[in-house]
Amino acid sequence: MNIPAWNSTYLEPILAFALVTIGFSVYHFVSISDKVKAKYTAKYGSERGNTKFLWMTRYLGATTIGIIPAIVLLIITGKGLEDYGFAFKNHTTSLAWIGGLACIIIPMNFFNSKKEKNLAFYPNVREKEWTKKMVFTNALTWVSYLFGYELMFRGLLLFATVPLLGEWPAIILNAAIYALVHVPKNLEETIGAIPLGVVLCLITLTTGTIWVAFFVHITLALSNFFFSLKHHPEMKVI
């Protein structure tokens, strides 16, 4: 058997794939760990313990999926954050994309959030009474998690694979992996992640920045959270 020859251009994409695999695996298995959750429920009680456990896993995801991989990749490759889309540029185009997609996402989530199927799962925090501090903290954990998420998918993984594979193969591969990480949720979100993943990758490559994808993803998550909280018959803000 002939061992394939090594090429230095393979290092960056291989690192990106390895880091997303390790980072997401750590996040996923901690998030479904009954032992870890039991420690929170034992300390804070069943309801509040589940809430704090969920918030912890979002911060963990931001760290293991995005922040730590970014640090590792930057150190090893010697590149800067701007090489992975962590840059503020093309402001007019970026704002147009954010505003345009928000005009689609917000009304869609408003009507979708009323559905029984949505309310059975969202908001993810299942407490009946919410303080304003809880609303703020839940929103903050979403923002933190999605920052790490977009830093990895539309940042590290996308920009690391384009030079080797080309734009379209990198986009399709990115969208495929993005869909796969939604499999533990449900079929609808897994299917929906495919076109969304393609669109966000295209926007990221054309604007050269991950910030459009980040703010669009925040709009998607937070509007669903706020509307689901508003429409849930058993929940209220006190």
Side-chain angles (χ1 to χ4, degrees):
M1 181 181 72
N2 294 323
I3 298 176
W6 174 257
N7 188 314
S8 60
T9 59
Y10 300 157
L11 178 61
E12 186 180 18
I14 286 175
L15 276 174
F17 281 121
L19 291 167
V20 71
T21 301
I22 295 170
F24 186 81
S25 296
V26 170
Y27 157 74
H28 175 69
F29 286 112
V30 171
S31 69
I32 63 172
S33 172
D34 291 331
K35 289 184 178 180
V36 178
K37 182 185 288 187
K39 292 181 180 180
Y40 280 81
T41 55
K43 183 175 182 180
Y44 299 104
S46 178
E47 192 172 71
R48 184 50 54 89
N50 283 326
T51 298
K52 287 186 174 290
F53 172 72
L54 176 61
W55 289 343
M56 178 277 292
T57 60
R58 288 178 183 165
Y59 287 132
L60 176 68
T63 305
T64 63
I65 297 173
I67 297 172
I68 291 177
I71 293 172
V72 172
L73 206 55
L74 292 175
I75 291 174
I76 294 178
T77 65
K79 289 188 173 182
L81 282 171
E82 64 276 5
D83 295 310
Y84 296 105
F86 195 90
F88 296 94
K89 55 185 179 180
N90 296 318
H91 304 301
T92 302
T93 304
S94 297
L95 287 173
W97 272 115
I98 293 169
L101 290 173
C103 288
I104 298 172
I105 291 169
I106 293 174
M108 178 186 71
N109 274 349
F110 178 79
F111 292 106
N112 186 62
S113 63
K114 298 179 180 180
K115 296 179 180 178
E116 185 177 342
K117 191 173 184 179
N118 180 79
L119 294 175
F121 190 73
Y122 293 106
N124 299 120
V125 172
R126 307 306 290 177
E127 295 198 33
K128 301 296 186 294
E129 294 187 345
W130 290 65
T131 64
K132 292 179 181 179
K133 182 179 179 181
M134 286 176 60
V135 173
F136 173 79
T137 302
N138 193 64
L140 179 63
T141 61
W142 264 126
V143 171
S144 300
Y145 175 69
L146 292 176
F147 171 73
Y149 211 74
E150 289 302 332
L151 180 59
M152 168 52 75
F153 281 94
R154 256 61 67 172
L156 309 178
L157 191 60
L158 181 61
F159 284 95
T161 53
V162 165
L164 183 64
L165 302 179
E167 286 85 355
W168 276 110
I171 289 170
I172 299 304
L173 182 60
N174 193 286
I177 298 174
Y178 181 58
L180 287 174
V181 300
H182 282 78
V183 169
K185 291 188 174 183
N186 56 58
L187 180 61
E188 288 182 358
E189 290 199 29
T190 302
I191 295 173
I194 298 172
L196 179 62
V198 171
V199 169
L200 292 181
C201 285
L202 283 170
I203 293 172
T204 300
L205 290 179
T206 55
T207 60
T209 174
I210 66 170
W211 293 111
V212 176
F214 173 60
F215 283 111
V216 168
H217 216 155
I218 285 177
T219 301
L220 184 67
L222 293 190
S223 63
N224 183 54
F225 161 51
F226 291 133
F227 291 143
S228 297
L229 180 58
K230 174 182 175 61
H231 294 141
H232 202 291
E234 298 178 0
M235 296 182 183
K236 63 179 180 179
V237 179
I238 57 175

